[in-house]
Amino acid sequence: MTALRAGRRQVNEHAWDLRTGVHLRSSFYDVPSVRAGRCTLGERELSLAGDVTGVRLLHLQCHFGLDTLSWARRGALATGVDFSQTGVAEARALSAELDVPAVFHRADVQDLPAGLTGFDLAVASYGVMCWLDDLSAWASSVHGALRPGGRFLLVEFHPLLELALPGSVSGHGSYFGVPDPPPTTTSGTYTDRDAPISYEEYRWQHPVGDVVNALVGAGLELTSLGEHPDSPVPLFDQGLEGSPFALAPRTYSITARRKP
Ligand SMILES: C[S@@+](CC[C@H](N)C(=O)[O-])C[C@H]1O[C@@H](n2cnc3c(N)ncnc32)[C@H](O)[C@@H]1O
């Protein structure tokens, strides 16, 4: 890893450590309802994943583990990965508290440890791609984590949202973005714009075509690509009425598999 990339990663890890502390107590993530049994997964990822009973599932960029634990409650043998020390620590604590077994690793999803391999299904969802600076490394990591024949599922906010609501996805204000963006300074976080935190972060804009090509380039077979007018996650719902983007896709989904 180059010094430039390592430096950006450190900046983003710090940002996510700070955010996680706020998110844990937010109504957006609503941890008490998860304690009471709420499933945090949306219909789209549930239907694309199918029955996960007994499935060795790797949840990429798992944040503090709510979705990972939801997959585990549905019978998956779940492993979550995130680069935030705070996120992973809180995920482990919640798993123990709720007595929902899951394993959590601290790692960069663009550089997964060689031991994380043999998974039947790898999943990433909502708010993940804009943090990645190297799609080839990410796609190789996904490929390496899957067993032959294993599946990959991505459901993500559509990069068009960056044109519709400039600053919302990557901060680049364009569909295509730039490879070496400057850091932006952010105050608060999406669960609480007034939260008393301020930090720098790096974000990248990834057109859908670049994501698909990275996965295919790493040796995965594309099995579906969907663009959807809706989102189960209540972000970016406001501000599009009456704009040319009112009917634009809010989310997209990709399924792929490692060749058998
Ligand atoms: C929007 S959140 C997770 C999305 C999930 N839908 C959620 O709301 O729980 C993005 C996550 O990506 C993690 N992350 C960002 N860049 C990463 C990287 N390079 N490797 C691993 N995790 C990363 C952050 O720590 C954060 O937990």
Side-chain angles (χ1 to χ4, degrees):
M1 184 188 304
T2 65
L4 177 65
R5 196 167 146 201
R8 289 167 170 169
R9 182 165 88 179
Q10 210 175 12
V11 166
N12 280 359
E13 279 178 15
H14 175 64
W16 278 102
D17 284 345
L18 284 178
R19 277 198 162 123
T20 302
V22 176
H23 291 183
L24 272 165
R25 293 180 292 280
S26 68
S27 56
F28 182 96
Y29 281 102
D30 192 6
V31 174
S33 72
V34 175
R35 286 198 174 93
R38 178 174 69 93
C39 174
T40 59
L41 303 167
E43 280 307 315
R44 180 144 294 116
E45 53 266 35
L46 287 171
S47 64
L48 288 170
D51 183 3
V52 294
T53 311
V55 165
R56 286 167 297 167
L57 184 149
L58 180 64
H59 179 208
L60 301 165
Q61 293 170 254
C62 66
H63 203 14
F64 57 98
L66 296 189
D67 284 5
T68 322
L69 297 176
S70 291
W71 288 115
R73 278 173 164 164
R74 300 182 86 86
L77 308 173
T79 298
V81 175
D82 202 281
F83 72 178
S84 161
Q85 190 164 19
T86 309
V88 167
E90 296 293 348
R92 286 179 180 145
L94 267 174
S95 166
E97 180 199 331
L98 303 182
D99 198 20
V100 178
V103 176
F104 292 94
H105 292 276
R106 185 179 177 210
D108 185 340
V109 294
Q110 299 164 119
D111 188 17
L112 288 176
L116 279 183
T117 193
F119 288 93
D120 301 310
L121 176 63
V123 180
S125 64
Y126 306 113
V128 287
M129 298 310 298
C130 68
W131 309 108
L132 307 181
D133 63 322
D134 187 340
L135 290 190
S136 301
W138 166 76
S140 293
S141 275
V142 171
H143 183 271
L146 294 172
R147 66 164 169 79
R151 296 180 297 138
F152 173 62
L153 165 58
L154 171 71
V155 281
E156 178 58 300
F157 298 116
H158 202 289
L160 256 185
L161 285 166
E162 179 60 28
L163 280 186
L165 300 168
S168 59
V169 175
S170 62
H172 295 201
S174 95
Y175 187 70
F176 293 103
V178 293
D180 284 314
T184 51
T185 302
T186 304
S187 296
T189 177
Y190 52 88
T191 65
D192 178 0
R193 298 284 169 209
D194 300 322
I197 52 172
S198 180
Y199 46 88
E200 289 204 311
E201 60 187 0
Y202 289 92
R203 289 183 289 164
W204 288 266
Q205 174 77 12
H206 296 302
V208 174
D210 288 1
V211 178
V212 168
N213 286 334
L215 292 167
V216 171
L220 289 153
E221 290 175 334
L222 190 74
T223 46
S224 74
L225 169 61
E227 293 179 286
H228 314 290
D230 57 304
S231 166
V233 181
L235 287 177
F236 315 123
D237 287 337
Q238 291 174 353
L240 296 180
E241 308 79 15
S243 91
F245 294 98
L247 300 176
R250 300 286 203 281
T251 54
Y252 71 102
S253 60
I254 290 174
T255 61
R257 67 170 189 159
R258 180 171 166 164
K259 290 172 192 156

mmCIF file of all heavy atoms in Angstrom, residues 41 44 55 69 80 97 110 121 139 155 177 190 234 237 242 259:
data_model
loop_
_atom_site.group_PDB
_atom_site.id
_atom_site.type_symbol
_atom_site.label_atom_id
_atom_site.label_comp_id
_atom_site.label_asym_id
_atom_site.label_seq_id
_atom_site.Cartn_x
_atom_site.Cartn_y
_atom_site.Cartn_z
ATOM 1 N N LEU A 41 -32.446 -5.379 7.807
ATOM 2 C CA LEU A 41 -32.226 -5.598 6.376
ATOM 3 C C LEU A 41 -33.444 -5.178 5.563
ATOM 4 O O LEU A 41 -34.575 -5.266 6.047
ATOM 5 C CB LEU A 41 -31.921 -7.079 6.129
ATOM 6 C CG LEU A 41 -30.715 -7.590 6.928
ATOM 7 C CD1 LEU A 41 -30.651 -9.102 6.898
ATOM 8 C CD2 LEU A 41 -29.432 -6.977 6.380
ATOM 9 N N ARG A 44 -34.975 -5.670 -0.569
ATOM 10 C CA ARG A 44 -34.188 -5.962 -1.780
ATOM 11 C C ARG A 44 -33.042 -6.915 -1.473
ATOM 12 O O ARG A 44 -32.870 -7.936 -2.154
ATOM 13 C CB ARG A 44 -33.664 -4.660 -2.383
ATOM 14 C CG ARG A 44 -32.857 -4.897 -3.631
ATOM 15 C CD ARG A 44 -33.045 -3.828 -4.675
ATOM 16 N NE ARG A 44 -34.386 -3.782 -5.220
ATOM 17 C CZ ARG A 44 -35.215 -2.743 -5.076
ATOM 18 N NH1 ARG A 44 -34.835 -1.685 -4.423
ATOM 19 N NH2 ARG A 44 -36.416 -2.784 -5.606
ATOM 20 N N VAL A 55 -25.631 -20.488 5.623
ATOM 21 C CA VAL A 55 -24.733 -19.893 4.615
ATOM 22 C C VAL A 55 -23.576 -19.173 5.301
ATOM 23 O O VAL A 55 -23.781 -18.405 6.248
ATOM 24 C CB VAL A 55 -25.544 -18.904 3.728
ATOM 25 C CG1 VAL A 55 -24.636 -17.994 2.922
ATOM 26 C CG2 VAL A 55 -26.481 -19.676 2.808
ATOM 27 N N LEU A 69 -25.683 -8.813 12.366
ATOM 28 C CA LEU A 69 -26.440 -9.564 13.371
ATOM 29 C C LEU A 69 -27.818 -9.952 12.831
ATOM 30 O O LEU A 69 -28.351 -11.013 13.172
ATOM 31 C CB LEU A 69 -26.553 -8.757 14.667
ATOM 32 C CG LEU A 69 -25.202 -8.466 15.352
ATOM 33 C CD1 LEU A 69 -25.398 -7.593 16.575
ATOM 34 C CD2 LEU A 69 -24.468 -9.762 15.722
ATOM 35 N N GLY A 80 -18.507 -10.219 10.021
ATOM 36 C CA GLY A 80 -18.518 -8.823 9.606
ATOM 37 C C GLY A 80 -17.100 -8.277 9.549
ATOM 38 O O GLY A 80 -16.252 -8.658 10.354
ATOM 39 N N GLU A 97 -23.947 -9.169 23.847
ATOM 40 C CA GLU A 97 -25.107 -8.745 24.632
ATOM 41 C C GLU A 97 -26.398 -9.407 24.146
ATOM 42 O O GLU A 97 -27.230 -9.855 24.944
ATOM 43 C CB GLU A 97 -25.246 -7.213 24.536
ATOM 44 C CG GLU A 97 -26.424 -6.667 25.316
ATOM 45 C CD GLU A 97 -26.820 -5.263 24.864
ATOM 46 O OE1 GLU A 97 -25.962 -4.507 24.399
ATOM 47 O OE2 GLU A 97 -28.024 -4.953 24.978
ATOM 48 N N GLN A 110 -10.412 -3.469 0.931
ATOM 49 C CA GLN A 110 -9.595 -3.471 -0.285
ATOM 50 C C GLN A 110 -8.329 -4.300 -0.081
ATOM 51 O O GLN A 110 -7.498 -4.400 -0.989
ATOM 52 C CB GLN A 110 -9.206 -2.035 -0.656
ATOM 53 C CG GLN A 110 -10.427 -1.166 -0.928
ATOM 54 C CD GLN A 110 -10.089 0.313 -0.916
ATOM 55 O OE1 GLN A 110 -10.252 0.994 -1.910
ATOM 56 N NE2 GLN A 110 -9.622 0.823 0.213
ATOM 57 N N LEU A 121 -21.296 -16.421 0.457
ATOM 58 C CA LEU A 121 -21.958 -15.179 0.044
ATOM 59 C C LEU A 121 -21.240 -14.001 0.706
ATOM 60 O O LEU A 121 -21.016 -14.019 1.925
ATOM 61 C CB LEU A 121 -23.425 -15.217 0.502
ATOM 62 C CG LEU A 121 -24.281 -13.979 0.266
ATOM 63 C CD1 LEU A 121 -24.434 -13.689 -1.225
ATOM 64 C CD2 LEU A 121 -25.671 -14.171 0.904
ATOM 65 N N ALA A 139 -12.391 -5.452 -5.616
ATOM 66 C CA ALA A 139 -12.994 -6.592 -6.327
ATOM 67 C C ALA A 139 -12.141 -7.848 -6.174
ATOM 68 O O ALA A 139 -12.676 -8.956 -6.024
ATOM 69 C CB ALA A 139 -13.173 -6.235 -7.798
ATOM 70 N N VAL A 155 -25.982 -3.848 -2.735
ATOM 71 C CA VAL A 155 -27.099 -2.906 -2.921
ATOM 72 C C VAL A 155 -26.597 -1.569 -2.422
ATOM 73 O O VAL A 155 -26.068 -1.455 -1.316
ATOM 74 C CB VAL A 155 -28.389 -3.351 -2.193
ATOM 75 C CG1 VAL A 155 -29.115 -4.427 -2.962
ATOM 76 C CG2 VAL A 155 -28.122 -3.802 -0.793
ATOM 77 N N GLY A 177 -16.473 11.768 -11.345
ATOM 78 C CA GLY A 177 -15.516 11.929 -10.262
ATOM 79 C C GLY A 177 -14.072 12.023 -10.730
ATOM 80 O O GLY A 177 -13.779 12.047 -11.925
ATOM 81 N N TYR A 190 -24.722 11.909 9.083
ATOM 82 C CA TYR A 190 -26.044 11.799 8.455
ATOM 83 C C TYR A 190 -27.155 11.425 9.429
ATOM 84 O O TYR A 190 -28.324 11.595 9.111
ATOM 85 C CB TYR A 190 -26.026 10.822 7.264
ATOM 86 C CG TYR A 190 -25.437 9.456 7.552
ATOM 87 C CD1 TYR A 190 -26.227 8.425 8.046
ATOM 88 C CD2 TYR A 190 -24.101 9.194 7.308
ATOM 89 C CE1 TYR A 190 -25.686 7.164 8.290
ATOM 90 C CE2 TYR A 190 -23.548 7.947 7.559
ATOM 91 C CZ TYR A 190 -24.350 6.933 8.043
ATOM 92 O OH TYR A 190 -23.809 5.689 8.294
ATOM 93 N N PRO A 234 -33.649 5.645 4.764
ATOM 94 C CA PRO A 234 -34.221 6.994 4.662
ATOM 95 C C PRO A 234 -33.172 8.100 4.555
ATOM 96 O O PRO A 234 -33.052 8.958 5.413
ATOM 97 C CB PRO A 234 -35.035 7.114 5.954
ATOM 98 C CG PRO A 234 -34.315 6.237 6.922
ATOM 99 C CD PRO A 234 -33.736 5.103 6.120
ATOM 100 N N ASP A 237 -34.098 11.292 0.569
ATOM 101 C CA ASP A 237 -35.505 11.242 0.179
ATOM 102 C C ASP A 237 -36.063 12.621 -0.101
ATOM 103 O O ASP A 237 -37.127 12.755 -0.684
ATOM 104 C CB ASP A 237 -36.343 10.584 1.284
ATOM 105 C CG ASP A 237 -36.092 9.094 1.336
ATOM 106 O OD1 ASP A 237 -35.659 8.547 0.306
ATOM 107 O OD2 ASP A 237 -36.295 8.499 2.397
ATOM 108 N N GLY A 242 -39.842 17.700 -8.074
ATOM 109 C CA GLY A 242 -39.866 18.796 -9.046
ATOM 110 C C GLY A 242 -38.550 18.973 -9.793
ATOM 111 O O GLY A 242 -38.453 19.831 -10.665
ATOM 112 N N LYS A 259 -16.506 -17.783 -10.422
ATOM 113 C CA LYS A 259 -16.691 -18.931 -11.323
ATOM 114 C C LYS A 259 -16.410 -20.234 -10.561
ATOM 115 O O LYS A 259 -15.474 -20.294 -9.759
ATOM 116 C CB LYS A 259 -15.747 -18.814 -12.523
ATOM 117 C CG LYS A 259 -16.154 -17.678 -13.445
ATOM 118 C CD LYS A 259 -15.119 -17.414 -14.525
ATOM 119 C CE LYS A 259 -15.444 -16.098 -15.211
ATOM 120 N NZ LYS A 259 -14.311 -15.459 -15.845
#
